[in-house]
Amino acid sequence: MRFRFRFRVIPFLATVILVAAGVSLAQWQTRRGDEKMAMDARMQARQAAPAIRLEGTGAATNPDEIEYRRVLLKGEFLSNWPVYLDNRPHNGVAGFYLLMPFKIAATNLHVLVARGWIPRNASDRTQLPALVTPQGTIEIEGTVRQGIGHIMQLGSPEPLRPAAIVQNLDAAGFAATSGLKMQPVIVEQLTDTHDGLVRDWPAPASGVEKHRGYAFQWYALAAMAFIFFVVTGFRRGSK
């Protein structure tokens, strides 16, 4: 008894398609992973660079160029426009991100500042804690972000208003509702203003490992398709 390989056209064509698709998709995921690694390197370089001053004009016209940069802001908070981002846990505790507009000194422009995290009332989420807001002109440092992190919207969004509890917010939406002239970015505050807020901001997730995992799965699929074609092509026969 010996094994003979039997070539069959249809299984061969199916194998070629599967292998080509698997390799192509694996290479695409690998390229995406490389792009994310480059983004990570750029982000780390920007975070390590000296802080720049975010002025009223010019510096923030292109958010892509300053995202993840540390910036200095001089001006004052508008304490009558707090907004609470819901479903933002910290160390397993439910809570909010507190966002508030900051008027840049000597301009008519504002920037939306994520001031920090506060715990949520466990029995009644609408019972908001008292806020301590610095008064007058101050200077703070923060990190520029184009968004504060989008989460799945649960139910109908609450209309945006002062002290609203919402799940997602961006600078453009806030500008449209508040009527304030806004910079097109959000700044995560780093400076301690002695207000009891937690400023342990999560690092942005690039997803490099996810793309590497997907690439491995597609290469494995291509290899399995080839092995299956070869194994099933052999049959026993007599000499």
Side-chain angles (χ1 to χ4, degrees):
M1 298 292 289
R2 66 187 182 89
F3 289 98
R4 292 184 301 167
F5 184 79
R6 181 176 60 182
F7 180 83
R8 291 171 294 179
V9 175
I10 293 178
F12 172 75
L13 294 177
T15 301
V16 169
I17 292 173
L18 285 173
V19 170
V23 171
S24 177
L25 290 169
Q27 291 176 339
W28 175 69
Q29 290 290 349
T30 300
R31 289 193 298 270
R32 290 288 293 155
D34 292 341
E35 292 171 2
K36 293 296 181 67
M37 288 187 66
M39 290 175 59
D40 273 355
R42 183 167 61 250
M43 178 185 67
Q44 292 174 10
R46 288 182 176 183
Q47 289 177 334
I52 59 175
R53 187 166 295 280
L54 187 61
E55 304 289 355
T57 59
T61 53
N62 187 350
D64 291 332
E65 293 182 356
I66 63 171
E67 187 171 25
Y68 306 120
R69 284 295 303 268
R70 290 182 297 114
V71 294
L72 296 172
L73 297 173
K74 184 178 181 179
E76 58 183 324
F77 282 111
L78 302 187
S79 59
N80 62 338
W81 248 112
V83 178
Y84 300 85
L85 288 190
D86 200 1
N87 293 316
R88 309 290 169 153
H90 176 70
N91 292 336
V93 179
F96 305 104
Y97 284 164
L98 171 63
L99 272 64
M100 187 176 287
F102 186 92
K103 185 179 183 299
I104 301 175
T107 75
N108 64 342
L109 285 176
H110 305 74
V111 60
L112 196 58
V113 174
R115 291 184 53 191
W117 177 89
I118 51 177
R120 193 176 73 185
N121 187 298
S123 59
D124 185 357
R125 63 190 285 272
T126 62
Q127 289 187 7
L128 300 172
L131 296 180
V132 177
T133 301
Q135 300 299 311
T137 300
I138 61 172
E139 186 167 285
I140 60 174
E141 182 176 332
T143 303
V144 174
R145 297 291 305 276
Q146 294 197 46
I148 197 65
H150 188 88
I151 64 174
M152 181 182 296
Q153 178 68 47
L154 303 176
S156 300
E158 180 180 341
L160 188 60
R161 54 176 176 75
I165 299 174
V166 298
Q167 298 185 62
N168 296 290
L169 182 64
D170 56 29
F174 184 83
T177 301
S178 66
L180 299 173
K181 190 173 183 181
M182 304 294 297
Q183 294 277 18
V185 295
I186 294 176
V187 174
E188 293 177 343
Q189 181 178 335
L190 299 175
T191 303
D192 182 10
T193 46
H194 309 289
D195 47 25
L197 301 177
V198 178
R199 297 184 177 90
D200 182 19
W201 301 110
S206 65
V208 173
E209 295 304 322
K210 179 182 68 175
H211 290 294
R212 293 285 187 260
Y214 287 156
F216 175 80
Q217 292 175 9
W218 285 117
Y219 278 127
L221 175 64
M224 289 174 61
F226 176 75
I227 293 171
F228 183 80
F229 170 74
V230 172
V231 171
T232 58
F234 282 98
R235 63 176 181 176
R236 289 183 177 180
S238 58
K239 184 174 180 181

